[in-house]
Amino acid sequence: MKNETPLIQAIRSFNRNYTKLIGLLDSHLLASGYSLAEARILYEIHANMPVSASDIILQIDIDKGYLSKVLKRFEVNGLIAKEPSPVDARMSLLTLTAAGHTVFNSLDAASNQQVKEMIGKLTDEEQDKLSNNIAAISALLFK
Amino acid sequence: MKNETPLIQAIRSFNRNYTKLIGLLDSHLLASGYSLAEARILYEIHANMPVSASDIILQIDIDKGYLSKVLKRFEVNGLIAKEPSPVDARMSLLTLTAAGHTVFNSLDAASNQQVKEMIGKLTDEEQDKLSNNIAAISALLFK
DNA sequence: ACGATATAGTTGACTTGTTCAACTATATGC
DNA sequence: GCATATAGTTGAACAAGTCAACTATATCGT
């Protein structure tokens, strides 16, 4: 039988540090006029279009009332289009418009740039190591 | 010269997944009556007491006005004590009261429990692997 | 030592984010 | 076909977060 306490503490310490790092990586959003939630929603639509609002809720933990309002704002601002689902009349299918793609691409590029700067401080060997570590943790925790 | 794009994408995917996982681990807070920010602030005071408000800001990225209000609420509710710093009269030093320790311990125990359940699904070997990979990433990114 | 500048923290006004329950519409199961 | 479940919307209420102005104290440069 194993003592799990050191691992628990290590994970919680990692979580605090990693939360801070993610906050740093996302800080470019402040200047973009979009919130983290909005950027995440745009990403989901981009990555899985066409999607319904419930598809998004499945991916991100977010209140459906709140999501509905964000999506409405996106629609009013011309970032997304809604069309009724042919198979289920309760649902709308959401797609990015050209303007939506433009906004997404700009946010996406900025996010890539942030990550690029972060890993830019690492040597090639360290980058390989990081890559392996990330893959290993993902396999263990995101089954 | 290396192509960094795959690593960038892997990191961003990891960030999305890990954000969701952290959200899950923190969801017990909903029932506790404390927000994530409040729990994090309590942790900082617990871990580094006595601390000033600026010490906390250095650790967590948080608006000083917002922090000031949270700390005031903690003080009114008897979770922390403030005393003027002997070396700098602008600062107060914060410490947990007995009641504050009680609250912190209960939040801390619940957080440990959440993490414990998460790693409980892993074998001993997987736990070791997780431990090593977490340590490796920490060494690379949290220098 | 003195004035200029910076830092610690507080406060109030304001904006935004988030929750929640009620509601409409449609779909699914018995 | 009726009961129940799901998709999404809305408005009201509340919580969270931002911001700038302000007081008090400390520090820096001359």
Side-chain angles (χ1 to χ4, degrees):
Chain A
M1 173 180 152
K2 251 186 109 91
N3 177 12
E4 291 174 330
T5 306
L7 177 54
I8 291 173
Q9 296 312 312
I11 290 172
R12 291 187 58 201
S13 166
F14 180 81
N15 290 356
R16 285 188 294 272
N17 287 128
Y18 209 80
T19 297
K20 196 175 180 178
L21 188 147
I22 290 177
L24 235 80
L25 293 177
D26 287 339
S27 60
H28 68 89
L29 288 171
L30 290 178
S32 78
Y34 293 93
S35 70
L36 180 53
E38 289 172 330
R40 195 66 180 69
I41 291 164
L42 275 181
Y43 170 84
E44 281 306 320
I45 301 172
H46 161 86
N48 302 307
M49 318 186 280
V51 287
S52 65
S54 340
D55 292 334
I56 297 175
I57 290 173
L58 228 61
Q59 298 305 316
I60 319 173
D61 193 25
I62 193 178
D63 179 80
K64 67 179 175 173
Y66 179 52
L67 176 59
S68 177
K69 283 162 199 168
V70 172
L71 292 176
K72 189 185 210 174
R73 195 160 60 239
F74 282 172
E75 197 184 12
V76 168
N77 295 339
L79 303 188
I80 65 171
K82 287 188 197 182
E83 52 169 340
S85 161
V87 300
D88 187 335
R90 294 169 303 177
M91 299 196 294
S92 293
L93 295 182
L94 312 170
T95 49
L96 290 184
T97 61
H101 271 110
T102 303
V103 169
F104 170 78
N105 286 335
S106 128
L107 296 177
D108 190 56
S111 286
N112 282 338
Q113 183 56 31
Q114 290 289 112
V115 174
K116 186 175 180 159
E117 283 169 22
M118 179 182 81
I119 63 174
K121 300 167 197 152
L122 304 177
T123 64
D124 284 4
E125 292 72 36
E126 286 173 331
Q127 289 190 12
D128 284 343
K129 229 175 121 181
L130 180 58
S131 180
N132 291 333
N133 295 141
I134 282 174
I137 293 182
S138 297
L140 290 169
L141 298 183
F142 309 146
K143 303 186 207 191
Chain B
M1 172 180 153
K2 251 185 110 89
N3 177 11
E4 290 174 331
T5 305
L7 178 54
I8 291 173
Q9 297 311 314
I11 290 171
R12 290 187 57 203
S13 165
F14 180 81
N15 289 355
R16 285 188 294 272
N17 287 127
Y18 209 79
T19 298
K20 197 173 180 181
L21 188 147
I22 289 176
L24 236 77
L25 292 176
D26 287 338
S27 60
H28 69 87
L29 287 171
L30 290 178
S32 77
Y34 293 92
S35 70
L36 180 54
E38 289 171 328
R40 195 66 179 70
I41 292 165
L42 274 181
Y43 170 84
E44 281 305 320
I45 300 171
H46 162 86
N48 303 305
M49 325 185 273
V51 286
S52 66
S54 342
D55 292 334
I56 296 175
I57 290 173
L58 228 62
Q59 298 304 315
I60 319 174
D61 194 24
I62 195 178
D63 178 80
K64 67 180 176 173
Y66 180 53
L67 176 60
S68 177
K69 285 163 197 167
V70 172
L71 292 176
K72 189 185 210 176
R73 196 160 59 237
F74 283 171
E75 198 186 10
V76 167
N77 295 340
L79 303 188
I80 65 171
K82 287 188 196 181
E83 53 167 340
S85 160
V87 299
D88 187 336
R90 292 169 305 177
M91 300 196 294
S92 293
L93 296 182
L94 311 170
T95 49
L96 289 184
T97 60
H101 270 110
T102 302
V103 169
F104 170 78
N105 286 335
S106 126
L107 297 176
D108 189 55
S111 287
N112 283 338
Q113 183 56 32
Q114 289 289 112
V115 175
K116 186 174 180 159
E117 282 168 23
M118 178 182 81
I119 63 174
K121 300 167 199 153
L122 304 177
T123 65
D124 284 6
E125 292 71 37
E126 287 173 331
Q127 289 191 9
D128 282 344
K129 226 173 127 183
L130 181 58
S131 178
N132 291 334
N133 284 292
I134 281 176
I137 293 184
S138 298
L140 290 169
L141 298 184
F142 310 145
K143 304 186 203 190

